[in-house]
Amino acid sequence: MNILLKSAKIICPENGSLHLKKRDILIKKGIIEKISTSIEVNSNTKCIDYKNLHISLGWIDSSVSFGEPGFEERETIENGLDVAARSGFSDILLNPNTNPLPDTSSDIVFLKERAKNSTTNLHPLGCLTINSEGKDLAELFDMKNAGAVAYYDFKKQISNPNILKIALLYAESFDGLIFSYPQNGDIAGKGIVHEGEVSTALGLKAIPALAEELQISRDLFILEYTGGKLHIPTISTANSVKLIANAKKRGLDVSCSVAVHNLIFTDESLKEFDTNFKVSPPLRSKSDCKALIKGLKDGIVDFVTSDHIPIAIEEKMVEFDNAVDGSIGLESAFGSLNHILGLEKTISLLTKGRERFGLGQTAIKEGEKACITLFDPDDENVFMEKQILSNTKNSMFLGSRLKGKVYGTINNDKLLIQ
């Protein structure tokens, strides 16, 4: 496929010669052939000449769930990757949130095969322990050879500290990355929302910030002992940011992420008992939101994720206590971040992670593979259900004001646009 991007404004801070410049970009057979102020082409080339067209390197999301296999009513791999591409993401890390769970090399091969020929690259996360039960390590090395980029018992604490110790020591031998969900289950108990005035007023069982911070403290002590690489997904409290900042100062190889919704919404949003706001970790306080945003700006929090989790309507249209945790977020991620952080910081965050997750580097320059996201950063809109491309509609962003519109993604010699 031959594509010409006309008068595209390039957002690429790491390339000073092109950053904030308007250029025509000619792509042939998936490779950037020419970048110039003006390029003329023949009729065999598809011309993209959109209003206020901006481009950047393809975006990465480090926490995405679909459903297939086992929960296809939530989302299939095919449609999920279509949603990701139309939402601007060239690469997603797929959570082990299926049935059966991916804890062997053959499971990873299945996921990779199902994602073949897609615009968006699917990078599977394998389970850390067999069936994510926290008892015995899964086939980490074999899964790596099959294509797993890291290991994670999705949204489950590693209860046994010795499991984390052994995993970090073992994975270090092949540069493996271990995810550890930041929640102490004994402290969290049967809590479902943040512990504070709102939980008391609503009479809902609460999860104190201590549950997250205690687990992170333990994990960082183990990391200091073992060495290796640790990633802490979706932190949610101010003290978590401080703990990770101190660990980085001590030279520990630790990274962390935050979900977009934990930057924007607080536990005040729970007052209507809307189950779309029931997520894990829970929505925290306004001061936690501010600390997380500051942590991103200061570089302490490494990545931002949509933490996209499709949930079927019958699992959400129940009493708040019984609803399944999760909100979709791929479609609203860019507009939400751009609204609170501004364009350059948003793009910087959405394009981070290739080195950490071993995805391979790319660049906007002649001779390089075209891995590009297309968008208009100035389009202001209210997020409506008609903008949701996912099979399920469980989004807490419905009715939110967004800034920015995604046109689509060019990757793997494919163009997928809305």
Side-chain angles (χ1 to χ4, degrees):
M1 178 185 291
N2 296 338
I3 303 169
L4 177 65
L5 304 179
K6 289 294 292 182
S7 299
K9 191 169 186 177
I10 301 169
I11 309 300
C12 191
E14 60 273 18
N15 188 338
S17 63
L18 288 177
H19 183 48
L20 300 179
K21 303 289 196 308
K22 278 191 176 183
R23 294 289 186 269
D24 286 5
I25 300 174
L26 179 61
I27 300 166
K28 286 189 175 182
K29 296 181 179 179
I31 304 297
I32 299 173
E33 183 173 278
K34 188 176 182 181
I35 301 175
S36 180
T37 52
S38 181
I39 300 174
E40 298 299 324
V41 294
N42 58 36
S43 59
N44 293 328
T45 300
K46 182 175 181 63
C47 186
I48 305 294
D49 189 9
Y50 290 160
K51 173 188 172 185
N52 197 29
L53 176 61
H54 286 58
I55 68 165
S56 73
L57 290 174
W59 301 342
I60 302 161
D61 194 328
S62 61
S63 181
V64 173
S65 299
F66 291 148
E68 184 183 0
F71 301 108
E72 286 83 356
E73 71 280 4
R74 296 178 178 177
E75 188 61 276
T76 63
I77 290 173
E78 181 181 4
N79 189 65
L81 290 174
D82 183 275
V83 172
R86 294 179 193 275
S87 301
F89 293 92
S90 62
D91 296 83
I92 62 105
L93 273 63
L94 184 67
N95 289 314
N97 189 25
T98 56
N99 183 23
L101 291 163
D103 59 4
T104 68
S105 57
S106 60
D107 297 321
I108 300 300
V109 169
F110 168 82
L111 295 171
K112 296 286 284 186
E113 285 293 320
R114 292 290 291 137
K116 266 188 175 179
N117 303 316
S118 297
T119 305
T120 296
N121 300 318
L122 184 154
H123 307 282
L125 295 169
C127 296
L128 179 66
T129 62
I130 295 172
N131 206 35
S132 288
E133 293 176 347
K135 296 177 182 178
D136 300 294
L137 287 184
E139 301 175 358
L140 306 191
F141 185 64
D142 287 349
M143 285 193 288
K144 179 182 176 69
N145 289 337
V149 296
Y151 312 100
Y152 183 22
D153 286 350
F154 179 65
K155 302 288 186 182
K156 294 181 179 178
Q157 66 161 1
I158 303 174
S159 301
N160 183 345
N162 198 47
I163 288 287
L164 179 60
K165 185 195 78 171
I166 294 170
L168 286 165
L169 287 168
Y170 174 53
E172 189 175 15
S173 66
F174 53 87
D175 199 33
L177 178 63
I178 304 299
F179 280 42
S180 180
Y181 183 60
Q183 182 165 286
N184 181 294
D186 294 322
I187 298 292
K190 296 182 179 179
I192 55 174
V193 300
H194 173 61
E195 182 182 79
E197 292 181 8
V198 173
S199 64
T200 301
L202 299 180
L204 295 172
K205 294 175 183 176
I207 302 173
L210 175 65
E212 176 169 308
E213 295 150 13
L214 188 63
Q215 192 78 356
I216 289 175
S217 296
R218 185 208 72 171
D219 290 355
L220 293 174
F221 271 117
I222 294 172
L223 178 65
E224 190 167 24
Y225 175 80
T226 59
K229 294 163 58 176
L230 180 67
H231 179 70
I232 303 174
T234 58
I235 67 169
S236 66
T237 77
N239 278 334
S240 294
V241 177
K242 292 179 182 177
L243 289 166
I244 291 165
N246 289 333
K248 288 184 173 184
K249 285 179 183 176
R250 302 201 308 273
L252 301 187
D253 192 351
V254 60
S255 58
C256 67
S257 67
V258 62
V260 177
H261 49 252
N262 281 104
L263 302 172
I264 296 171
F265 299 103
T266 70
D267 56 349
E268 293 285 333
S269 302
L270 302 174
K271 290 182 177 179
E272 300 299 319
F273 292 94
D274 184 342
T275 57
N276 285 334
F277 291 91
K278 185 170 185 273
V279 289
S280 180
L283 300 175
R284 300 286 186 180
S285 68
K286 190 174 292 186
S287 61
D288 288 314
C289 278
K290 289 179 179 177
L292 291 165
I293 291 171
K294 187 175 186 302
L296 281 171
K297 291 178 177 178
D298 293 343
I300 297 164
V301 181
D302 301 274
F303 312 116
V304 65
T305 171
S306 69
D307 203 25
H308 179 87
I309 306 177
I311 301 296
I313 188 169
E314 61 268 19
E315 296 175 298
K316 280 292 189 181
M317 295 295 286
V318 294
E319 296 86 354
F320 194 90
D321 287 41
N322 297 326
V324 176
D325 295 338
S327 173
I328 58 172
L330 283 170
E331 298 97 323
S332 53
F334 171 64
S336 305
L337 285 172
N338 190 33
H339 186 68
I340 62 169
L341 296 176
L343 179 59
E344 291 196 40
K345 186 62 180 177
T346 294
I347 297 303
S348 174
L349 288 168
L350 289 175
T351 54
K352 281 182 70 177
R354 292 188 178 278
E355 183 177 357
R356 185 61 169 172
F357 301 117
L359 308 188
Q361 295 299 325
T362 186
I364 299 177
K365 87 178 175 181
E366 292 177 1
E368 290 283 336
K369 174 190 171 184
C371 177
I372 293 171
T373 298
L374 293 71
F375 55 95
D376 172 0
D378 300 324
D379 181 87
E380 297 197 7
N381 61 90
V382 175
F383 190 62
M384 308 293 286
E385 187 169 318
K386 65 182 180 182
Q387 293 166 260
I388 294 178
L389 307 171
S390 302
N391 282 341
T392 64
K393 311 301 177 186
N394 58 301
S395 171
M396 70 172 74
F397 288 90
L398 287 168
S400 296
R401 183 163 294 280
L402 308 183
K403 185 179 182 184
K405 173 183 179 180
V406 179
Y407 289 125
T409 304
I410 298 171
N411 192 35
N412 298 329
D413 195 18
K414 297 177 185 298
L415 166 68
L416 196 55
I417 53 180
Q418 297 206 40

